[in-house]
Amino acid sequence: MMSSTMNIVRLLVVVQVAAALVAAPGAAALSMDYYGMSCPFAEFIVRTVVSDALMKDPTLAAGLLRLHFHDCFVQGCDASVLLDSTPANTAEKDALANKSLRGYEVIDRIKQLLEAQCPGTVSCADILALAARDAVFMAGGPFYGVPQGRRDGTRSKAADTIALPAPVLNASTLIQLFGSHGFTVKDMVALSGGHTLGVAHCAAFKNRLQGEAATLDAGLATSLGATCGGADGDSSTAPFDRTSNAFDGVYFRELQSRRGLLTSDQTLFESPETKALVNAFATNQAYFFYSFQQGMLKMGQLDLKEGTQGEIRKTCRVVNSS
């Protein structure tokens, strides 16, 4: 029965990908076999490097997923988050909101191998999208098709990261913010489920300890207080859920128990606008996986650069003209 259900889910995802590629603005240049002739082993190379990295450090699954999200939500999916700062410019990766991002060395290794195999062909933006997909799958999550053909941007400014969702936002504000990018409420809640992987720093959730006792499990509050009260202070970390290296539905069950780490997590259960979706995803992991796939498909097509826009970087950390 479970096998039949998963097969149906996979079929629905294939249909969803096809429909989205037809309907999504700016997606005309993307295709599932974009590198079929020019770099046929591109996905295999990405998958091999990601697999090797996760075998050595499973926590990198969260890092690679976050890299893709933080890239797409700021000026679109153009690998701007990978660019290094210069003496004249502070890049996105050095903004406060991105200081904890990880996985750059994995992307560098993938790009190095791809350049050796297919010089000047595969964009860093596509590498980010594929690496995030593979990281999710290898952590136990769904496998989904990633349309390819994105081009790399040449702008990266720390100030632009103001577009990222802050950890203190409530559900209504999150709905508005995600809605401005074309996401539905279901998309937003499902994408928030990406927090089933990884950890957050105390600086991002200490407000929960100070003013949200009514929606914070007492046992978790005690644990977090001890974590954040240590010598490392705001730089200390706590996991988003009890299975922080596994992509599963535990995150949503934690919200039901008022064990959400960030304000922007717990608000999804407390708000009548999103509570039903939290409950649905908590009880039906297949539904969460399917909805997450739909959300990731949309996110991977935000504000695409195509045609003569952007470039195919030779090195993901610098623009070609440097």
Side-chain angles (χ1 to χ4, degrees):
M1 179 66 179
M2 178 60 72
S3 177
S4 298
T5 300
M6 293 308 297
N7 286 335
I8 292 172
V9 168
R10 292 189 186 101
L11 176 60
L12 288 172
V13 171
V14 171
V15 173
Q16 177 69 21
V17 169
L21 287 176
V22 171
L30 299 188
S31 69
M32 301 300 294
D33 61 347
Y34 188 84
Y35 300 114
M37 296 296 291
S38 59
C39 195
F41 296 105
E43 290 199 43
F44 174 77
I45 290 172
V46 173
R47 191 168 303 128
T48 299
V49 176
V50 171
S51 177
D52 289 345
L54 265 58
M55 285 182 67
K56 296 173 183 174
D57 181 3
T59 67
L60 281 172
L64 292 170
L65 178 57
R66 284 191 70 209
L67 273 178
H68 181 44
F69 179 84
H70 281 232
D71 177 44
C72 292
F73 233 75
V74 179
Q75 303 294 318
C77 304
D78 63 355
S80 55
V81 74
L82 301 178
L83 289 172
D84 286 340
S85 295
T86 67
N89 176 64
T90 302
E92 291 173 28
K93 65 166 55 173
D94 290 318
L96 183 61
N98 285 339
K99 281 290 189 181
S100 63
L101 290 181
R102 303 172 61 229
Y104 295 109
E105 72 285 356
V106 180
I107 304 302
D108 289 342
R109 178 59 177 160
I110 294 170
K111 183 61 171 174
Q112 179 185 31
L113 293 176
L114 286 170
E115 284 299 302
Q117 185 80 23
C118 321
T121 302
V122 182
S123 70
C124 300
D126 278 344
I127 293 172
L128 278 174
L130 290 167
R133 184 272 309 277
D134 291 339
V136 165
F137 178 67
M138 292 173 193
F143 185 87
Y144 52 93
V146 174
Q148 297 140 45
R150 300 164 187 80
R151 291 176 65 83
D152 301 323
T154 56
R155 169 194 171 97
S156 182
K157 294 187 176 295
D160 292 341
T161 60
I162 194 170
L164 291 168
V168 296
L169 297 183
N170 61 31
S172 296
T173 306
L174 288 169
I175 290 170
Q176 292 174 0
L177 177 59
F178 277 74
S180 69
H181 291 285
F183 293 106
T184 66
V185 177
K186 184 176 75 171
D187 293 331
M188 183 273 288
V189 176
L191 288 173
S192 296
H195 281 176
T196 187
L197 295 173
V199 301
H201 289 80
C202 287
F205 61 78
K206 64 182 181 181
N207 66 296
R208 291 268 286 144
L209 301 175
Q210 298 164 352
E212 299 183 14
T215 61
L216 179 60
D217 173 77
L220 180 61
T222 299
S223 174
L224 295 178
T227 297
C228 298
D232 292 333
D234 283 357
S235 62
S236 297
T237 62
F240 280 110
D241 67 25
R242 291 166 291 172
T243 58
S244 60
N245 289 332
F247 197 98
D248 52 30
V250 171
Y251 165 82
F252 294 105
R253 295 195 286 276
E254 297 279 64
L255 300 187
Q256 291 176 314
S257 300
R258 290 187 163 156
R259 296 178 59 87
L261 193 57
L262 307 180
T263 296
S264 56
D265 293 323
Q266 192 57 47
T267 187
L268 302 178
F269 181 71
E270 305 303 328
S271 171
E273 298 172 282
T274 50
K275 185 173 184 177
L277 283 164
V278 170
N279 290 335
F281 291 156
T283 57
N284 189 336
Q285 182 170 282
Y287 181 45
F288 162 48
F289 280 13
Y290 173 59
S291 300
F292 181 81
Q293 291 167 319
Q294 291 180 300
M296 289 296 287
L297 178 65
K298 287 185 181 179
M299 190 179 73
Q301 297 181 26
L302 287 180
D303 302 322
L304 295 178
K305 293 173 177 61
E306 55 188 15
T308 58
Q309 296 177 316
E311 62 185 16
I312 305 298
R313 285 184 218 142
K314 297 175 183 177
T315 302
C316 290
R317 291 176 179 265
V318 296
V319 297
N320 290 343
S321 59
S322 296

